[in-house]
Amino acid sequence: MPETAPQSPVPAHPAATLILLRDGPDGLELLVMERHAGLRFAPGATVFPGGRMEAMDHDPHWRRFWPDGDPSADLAHRVAALRECAEECGVVLSRDPLAPGALDELRRALAAGEGFAEALERAGAVPALDRMAPLARWVTPEMLPRRFDTLFYLAPAPDGQQPVCDGGEAVDTLWASPRRLLAEAGAGRRRLVYATRMTLLRLAGCADVAAAMSLARLGLEFPPPIVPQLVETPSGPVLRIPEGCGFSPLETPAEHVRLG
């Protein structure tokens, strides 16, 4: 009987995520959102705003917003992360404070389906693409049917903007410390996918925005991909990540992992 050829992994869709940071009363806080329970991917999970890249993210138009010299090679990923944050949470990482009413107008334009570049221009918002710094690149394990190759960015949150969820993908937004989010997940009050949980663990030791930004992979536009592997061990199956990736633990029992 002929052997069955191994099935090739599903290609991973390029994606980007923006983790906005601020200093709160109890230290570092992150902007997170709760995904709609009816979504196919990560229903009801608490995640950072982000999503798949779109064709318009690659438009040469965005190069003019880079302040000095040639833009970073990951410019399109930065655009995607900034765009997704604006669409899902109503927060725009802009170079200067927006004029009164401009943010509301921009939100209405995006909700009505207007193009991101057009909405930004009409609101007088200049995207601060250079203020984002890559933290990591997480790739969905090869055995899953839906996969993403996602760059995670850190950036200080813009002043004077309060998040407003879109009511579609995002049904709630929240500023919270990494420790609080992890504690609530541990108590069963919050759902976290694996990459989100690992990112929170990485940031939990940061006292403030400056400490968190110091973890960014400066000079690495495309950090080495972290592709978790399902490995059988004497204690049972675990999800394993490579040494030296900057995240821990390196092994997590598969029964404790939510991938989507």
Side-chain angles (χ1 to χ4, degrees), residues 16-254:
T17 289
L18 179 56
I19 306 172
L20 291 178
L21 315 169
R22 75 177 188 183
D23 291 325
D26 299 319
L28 177 68
E29 294 182 339
L30 321 174
L31 177 62
V32 294
M33 66 180 215
E34 182 179 328
R35 287 174 60 82
H36 193 286
L39 296 173
R40 289 180 60 195
F41 179 75
T46 296
V47 299
F48 307 112
R52 292 172 58 161
M53 296 181 67
E54 297 180 357
M56 60 85 62
D57 300 328
H58 298 272
D59 194 309
H61 157 87
W62 299 108
R63 296 176 61 91
R64 67 189 179 97
F65 295 113
W66 199 260
D68 298 303
D70 292 331
S72 176
D74 62 342
L75 181 65
H77 285 78
R78 293 169 183 256
V79 173
L82 192 148
R83 172 181 54 76
E84 288 284 343
C85 186
E87 292 175 350
E88 295 174 340
C89 296
V91 177
V92 180
L93 185 62
S94 55
R95 188 164 300 283
D96 301 304
L98 300 182
L103 185 59
D104 289 337
E105 181 180 347
L106 189 149
R107 289 167 175 163
R108 287 192 293 268
L110 293 178
E114 184 172 337
F116 185 48
E118 293 77 9
L120 285 178
E121 184 172 359
R122 192 140 57 83
V126 179
L129 298 166
D130 59 311
R131 295 181 185 173
M132 304 163 60
L135 174 69
R137 179 182 173 189
W138 284 95
V139 182
T140 309
E142 295 182 351
M143 71 279 195
L144 294 185
R146 289 172 60 83
R147 304 183 63 227
F148 299 93
D149 182 345
T150 308
L151 280 179
F152 282 62
Y153 290 96
L154 300 176
D159 293 331
Q161 296 188 32
Q162 295 300 320
V164 176
C165 61
D166 64 1
E169 288 191 47
V171 296
D172 192 18
T173 58
L174 174 71
W175 284 102
S177 70
R179 293 180 184 274
R180 172 186 167 183
L181 295 169
L182 290 166
E184 291 178 353
R189 298 196 302 271
R190 194 171 296 280
R191 297 179 177 183
L192 299 175
V193 295
Y194 179 69
T196 302
R197 180 176 179 273
M198 295 298 286
T199 301
L200 292 173
L201 288 170
R202 181 88 190 274
L203 296 174
C206 297
D208 52 25
V209 171
M213 291 299 295
S214 71
L215 298 179
R217 309 295 290 267
L218 298 178
L220 284 178
E221 296 155 339
F222 292 97
I226 304 173
V227 188
Q229 302 290 329
L230 186 62
V231 179
E232 290 290 342
T233 72
S235 302
V238 301
L239 211 62
R240 179 181 294 168
I241 56 177
E243 294 184 16
C245 67
F247 290 80
S248 64
L250 298 181
E251 292 186 354
T252 304

